[in-house]
Amino acid sequence: MLYGVFSDVHSNLAALDAVIASMKTRGAERFVCLGDLVGYGAEPEPCVQKVAALADVCIFGNHDSVALRRESSSHFNQFARFAIEWTQSQISEESQQYLKKLPYIVEEGSYCFVHASPKSPADWNYITSLDEAQEAFEFFTTRYCLVGHTHSPVIVVQDELGQNLRVLDAPAYEAKDGERVLVNVGSVGQPRDRDPRASWCLVDDQLGSFEIVRVSYDIASTQRIMEQNGFPAFLVQRLELGR
Ligand code: ZN
């Protein structure tokens, strides 16, 4: 079975459409969204509706939580806060009900799916160092874990002894016997690794393989809709910079 795993859509409909088309072209049959459907962008409602119609598994993200007012936006920077407070008035009752039911973490077969970190998922810890990655491996029992949240795709491999970690340079990997793998699938709607293309991960459960796929989309059309809705220039411009 091929999985299409994606995260951090952030209300960017053109990017989401491009990723869905790419996942289907590559033969993905089971679709997993790792959260943050909304925030930052200006098309929350159609993005939630589209993910709800597509995803077999969908995880709850920190921006989804603030959009529902489950937690406050006080820890967000001014740009993220602007976008999420705007979002609160834009999403339908139906979409709110969908977001409300999303789980923080799901284990399915060999995979753990979570937005930020398997270590207390509702605390939204970032995994940005080898130490944090090593610790994360202690908090899931499956062989593989897929996360989002940082908006920077990366594949981390733990050796068969459970001791050494390797951060891969390559965007694809097939796990060897005994190895465990932690994958950050990157972001659909707001990539931050200086590559503005949308990101998702093709997962093959027969091969035990992972491939980060990058997809071009019409950035200008997304930016136009943000401008029409009075979004801060910083949020508009960062999309073309990929940061
Ligand atoms: Zn995010």
Side-chain angles (χ1 to χ4, degrees):
M1 166 105 75
L2 295 177
Y3 286 73
V5 186
F6 60 101
S7 190
D8 296 273
V9 174
H10 286 302
S11 302
N12 185 339
L13 187 61
L16 177 60
D17 281 337
V19 162
I20 292 172
S22 173
M23 292 192 297
K24 290 184 171 171
T25 300
R26 293 295 305 273
E29 301 157 279
R30 192 162 174 80
F31 300 97
V32 179
C33 175
L34 299 179
D36 276 4
L37 287 68
V38 301
Y40 292 124
E43 297 151 287
E45 180 64 19
C47 285
V48 174
Q49 291 294 323
K50 202 154 257 190
V51 171
L54 174 83
D56 299 291
V57 176
C58 187
I59 304 294
F60 194 59
N62 55 313
H63 285 253
D64 307 322
S65 185
V66 177
L68 293 177
R69 298 182 168 86
R70 197 179 283 182
E71 55 193 286
S72 125
S73 64
S74 59
H75 57 294
F76 278 12
N77 66 43
Q78 58 177 312
F79 305 108
R81 193 178 315 134
F82 167 88
I84 208 68
E85 286 173 359
W86 180 88
T87 300
Q88 288 168 346
S89 66
Q90 296 288 321
I91 42 177
S92 67
E93 184 59 34
E94 183 190 358
S95 290
Q96 291 180 44
Q97 289 303 326
Y98 176 75
L99 293 175
K100 260 179 202 154
K101 293 189 188 114
L102 298 180
Y104 285 92
I105 188 165
V106 166
E107 290 194 352
E108 174 180 310
S110 304
Y111 305 100
C112 172
F113 301 118
V114 63
H115 180 64
S117 169
K119 180 192 174 190
S120 55
D123 289 338
W124 317 118
N125 297 302
Y126 287 91
I127 302 173
T128 54
S129 69
L130 272 182
D131 283 349
E132 287 161 353
Q134 183 70 275
E135 189 185 23
F137 273 101
E138 295 165 23
F139 286 87
F140 61 97
T141 56
T142 52
R143 187 166 175 201
Y144 310 116
C145 182
L146 292 103
V147 303
H149 196 43
T150 68
H151 300 205
S152 292
V154 66
I155 301 176
V156 183
V157 180
Q158 186 185 55
D159 69 13
E160 66 282 4
L161 300 173
Q163 290 169 352
N164 296 310
L165 295 192
R166 274 183 299 142
V167 178
L168 299 192
D169 288 329
Y173 191 71
E174 188 174 320
K176 317 277 185 300
D177 274 354
E179 289 177 340
R180 298 174 78 211
V181 183
L182 174 68
V183 181
N184 189 311
V185 303
S187 170
V188 172
Q190 194 200 74
R192 294 181 192 157
D193 60 339
R194 295 176 189 270
D195 179 345
R197 293 176 300 169
S199 181
W200 65 279
C201 185
L202 179 70
V203 177
D204 185 328
D205 70 347
Q206 294 294 310
L207 296 175
S209 66
F210 305 87
E211 178 188 344
I212 305 290
V213 181
R214 303 306 288 261
V215 190
S216 299
Y217 72 96
D218 188 352
I219 294 175
S221 80
T222 294
Q223 291 175 317
R224 215 156 33 235
I225 294 166
M226 293 170 78
E227 280 166 350
Q228 285 162 1
N229 284 285
F231 274 53
F234 173 76
L235 290 181
V236 176
Q237 285 160 7
R238 67 187 301 178
L239 295 181
E240 72 203 52
L241 304 173
R243 51 174 292 195

